[in-house]
Amino acid sequence: MIEHQHTVNKTDVWLTSPHILHALGDFDLDPCACSEPRPWPTADVHYTKEMNGFILPWHGRIWLNPPYGSPKIIGTWMRRMAEHGNGIALIMARTETEMFHETVWDAATAVLFLKGRLYFHRQDGTRAAANAGAPSCLIAYGRVNADILAMSNLPGCVVDLK
């Protein structure tokens, strides 16, 4: 299942747990932020779906939890992230896919394979009843972000790629 419980809950708005964001520090921009009201900030600046954060300018340290509608969509966002080169992305750990090879194995600095399956949150802040349905990982672009993953104390295994 690649859509954060999309078929079960009829939504594509799934927020990252605040404990993960807290462990990763402050971000300058979230180009895939949910619309207001949002229960917690993910970055200093939020681009929403209505703003089309993909085409707007990216700056600073990026938090990216891309739309999980299809592998093609995720790949488009991840290529932009790899090109930007500064931030952390959260995606499913689909390590065999062409997108993962292109934007993670060949382009990222480090990966944190998270232990267990994540629970995402609805736009009102409540936790989803079911987990994400697959393992997730955090992808670091840039040495500073790789070091933050290594020091985050999030459960899992960090693999340094550089």
Side-chain angles (χ1 to χ4, degrees):
M1 176 180 225
I2 195 162
E3 299 187 35
H4 290 324
Q5 308 297 331
H6 176 75
T7 57
V8 174
N9 293 303
K10 308 294 184 218
T11 183
D12 60 1
V13 177
W14 293 104
L15 308 180
T16 306
S17 177
H19 85 275
I20 291 173
L21 294 163
H22 179 73
L24 300 176
D26 296 329
F27 291 93
D28 298 308
L29 174 67
D30 179 349
C32 297
C34 74
S35 301
E36 291 284 358
R38 71 181 59 86
W40 49 80
T42 52
D44 291 338
V45 176
H46 299 94
Y47 293 164
T48 65
K49 181 178 182 178
E50 296 79 20
M51 298 167 77
N52 193 354
F54 184 79
I55 64 170
L56 293 173
W58 288 17
H59 63 278
R61 186 168 182 250
I62 303 296
W63 167 251
L64 181 68
N65 180 358
Y68 282 39
S70 77
K72 183 177 179 179
I73 291 170
I74 296 168
T76 300
W77 284 95
M78 289 299 291
R79 281 188 286 284
R80 176 85 191 263
M81 181 65 154
E83 182 181 292
H84 181 73
N86 181 14
I88 297 176
L90 172 63
I91 61 173
M92 296 294 185
R94 307 253 189 242
T95 60
E96 80 289 0
T97 65
E98 184 177 331
M99 180 276 301
F100 205 94
H101 278 266
E102 177 188 349
T103 65
V104 180
W105 297 131
D106 296 342
T109 309
V111 180
L112 169 54
F113 292 97
L114 294 163
K115 182 178 180 180
R117 292 184 177 177
L118 294 181
Y119 283 83
F120 289 90
H121 294 255
R122 294 176 186 82
Q123 190 166 348
D124 66 5
T126 59
R127 191 178 97 158
N131 66 41
S136 299
C137 58
L138 292 163
I139 314 299
Y141 295 90
R143 177 53 43 203
V144 168
N145 292 300
D147 292 345
I148 289 169
L149 282 188
M151 301 298 291
S152 71
N153 290 320
L154 290 168
C157 181
V158 176
V159 177
D160 199 305
L161 301 175
K162 303 290 183 195

